[in-house]
């Protein structure tokens, strides 16, 4: 492996209803696989700009009740000084912010998938930066007591149309009733699971996504009026 190159493997499982059916329609699988590549490339372009590029590789095998896909992502820095100085979003962190790799409680709202699930297609009323916590935003969505804090990077990705379109495409096999669950993870990190209802919430948030203007800076944890 070159000095300016990092690799990260992860797995995706599409779990079906029939335990004896280990097949998947190629017209569903093909776009879903391509969507993961689009999603990761779009996220890398959004956060790293021209500092790094990524390639997404895939190999698959079959397991009981699911179609199991092994991905490997390769991130190549265009400037070796970015590698030495860590002046970019590293590959593992990029996948964590998307929610493909989940550690701790990040799956709640600390990732794109987790945030879209939590949002459930509800409208955003206000977004502001927190002065005392650089890189953190506070969001208020429609309804009472619906205020959360979220990473600015995660929010930025969740407003990126290319990322949102790829998320929808990756979840398409679960939208037609054939599949019931999708799981993400690695050999070292627990699998995070999204069921059909979760997928519906995520898709609703993808369709609602769009540019949001930041409100004035909030100095401390806010009380919205």
């Amino acid at each position: 492996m070159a000095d300016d190159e990092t690799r990260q493997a992860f797995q995706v499982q599409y779990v079906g209803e029939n335990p004896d059916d280990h097949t998947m329609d190629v017209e569903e699988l093909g776009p879903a696989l391509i969507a993961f590549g689009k999603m990761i490339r779009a996220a890398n372009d959004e956060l790293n700009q021209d500092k790094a590029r990524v390639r997404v590789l895939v190999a698959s095998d079959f397991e009981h009740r699911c179609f199991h896909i092994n991905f490997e992502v390769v991130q190549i820095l265009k400037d070796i000084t970015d590698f030495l100085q860590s002046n970019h979003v590293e590959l593992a962190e990029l996948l964590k912010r998307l929610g493909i790799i989940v550690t701790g409680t990040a799956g709640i709202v600390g990732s794109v998938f987790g945030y879209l699930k939590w949002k459930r297609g509800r409208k955003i009323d206000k977004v502001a930066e927190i002065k005392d916590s650089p890189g953190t935003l506070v969001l208020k969505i429609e309804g009472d007591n619906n205020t959360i804090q979220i990473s600015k990077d995660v929010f930025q990705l969740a407003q990126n149309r290319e990322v949102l379109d790829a998320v929808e495409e990756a979840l398409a096999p679960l939208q037609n009733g054939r599949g019931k669950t999708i799981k993400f993870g690695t050999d070292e990190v627990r699998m995070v699971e999204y069921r059909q209802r979760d997928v519906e919430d995520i898709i609703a948030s993808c369709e609602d996504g769009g540019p949001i203007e930041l409100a004035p800076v909030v100095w401390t944890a806010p009380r919205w009026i």
Side-chain angles (χ1 to χ4, degrees):
M1 184 172 67
D3 290 341
D4 60 349
E5 178 181 297
T6 56
R7 290 175 177 256
Q8 176 66 58
F10 68 91
Q11 292 86 44
V12 174
Q13 293 180 5
Y14 289 97
V15 184
E17 297 284 354
N18 185 349
D20 298 319
D21 186 358
H22 297 170
T23 63
M24 191 168 175
D25 191 319
V26 67
E27 293 186 2
E28 296 176 354
L29 177 62
L33 294 183
I34 292 170
F36 277 99
K38 289 179 179 177
M39 185 194 315
I40 293 167
R41 284 194 298 272
N44 182 73
D45 290 346
E46 178 72 36
L47 298 185
N48 285 321
Q49 303 297 316
D50 60 352
K51 295 175 184 176
R53 62 183 177 89
V54 294
R55 291 190 301 134
V56 182
L57 312 176
V58 64
S60 67
D61 57 3
F62 298 95
E63 292 189 356
H64 185 60
R65 296 195 67 182
C66 70
F67 196 93
H68 182 105
I69 305 157
N70 298 304
F71 286 92
E72 185 173 35
V73 186
V74 182
Q75 185 182 66
I76 303 168
L77 296 186
K78 295 183 179 179
D79 187 342
I80 189 63
T81 58
D82 287 327
F83 179 81
L84 297 174
Q85 299 172 3
S86 295
N87 188 26
H88 68 290
V89 178
E90 296 181 357
L91 185 53
E93 286 302 316
L94 185 70
L95 297 180
K96 287 177 185 177
R97 291 174 197 186
L98 282 171
I100 292 173
I101 296 177
V102 176
T103 57
T105 60
I108 300 172
V109 290
S111 70
V112 172
F113 276 96
Y115 164 67
L116 294 175
K117 173 188 171 183
W118 175 86
K119 186 168 175 279
R120 301 202 307 275
R122 293 171 291 181
K123 302 292 183 182
I124 297 175
D125 287 339
K126 190 180 294 186
V127 182
E129 296 185 82
I130 301 178
K131 183 69 172 181
D132 295 343
S133 183
T136 303
L137 301 178
V138 59
L139 275 68
K140 183 180 185 300
I141 61 174
E142 59 185 0
D144 297 329
N145 301 317
N146 289 328
T147 301
I148 61 164
Q149 292 185 23
I150 187 172
S151 159
K152 190 172 183 178
D153 282 351
V154 169
F155 184 73
Q156 188 175 335
L157 292 176
Q159 297 299 304
N160 183 297
R161 191 67 258 169
E162 288 184 74
V163 172
L164 295 178
D165 288 346
V167 168
E168 287 194 72
E169 292 169 11
L171 297 177
L174 277 76
Q175 295 182 61
N176 60 10
R178 281 176 53 84
K180 70 173 186 177
T181 304
I182 187 170
K183 298 180 180 181
F184 308 132
T186 71
D187 291 336
E188 297 80 22
V189 181
R190 67 183 177 87
M191 300 289 280
V192 60
E193 177 177 310
Y194 294 103
R195 296 182 177 273
Q196 285 182 327
R197 177 56 187 271
D198 302 327
V199 168
E200 291 173 6
D201 292 339
I202 292 169
I203 296 299
S205 296
C206 287
E207 294 173 349
D208 179 57
I212 300 293
E213 195 170 316
L214 288 180
V217 168
V218 174
W219 288 88
T220 56
R223 290 185 178 180
W224 301 105
I225 298 176

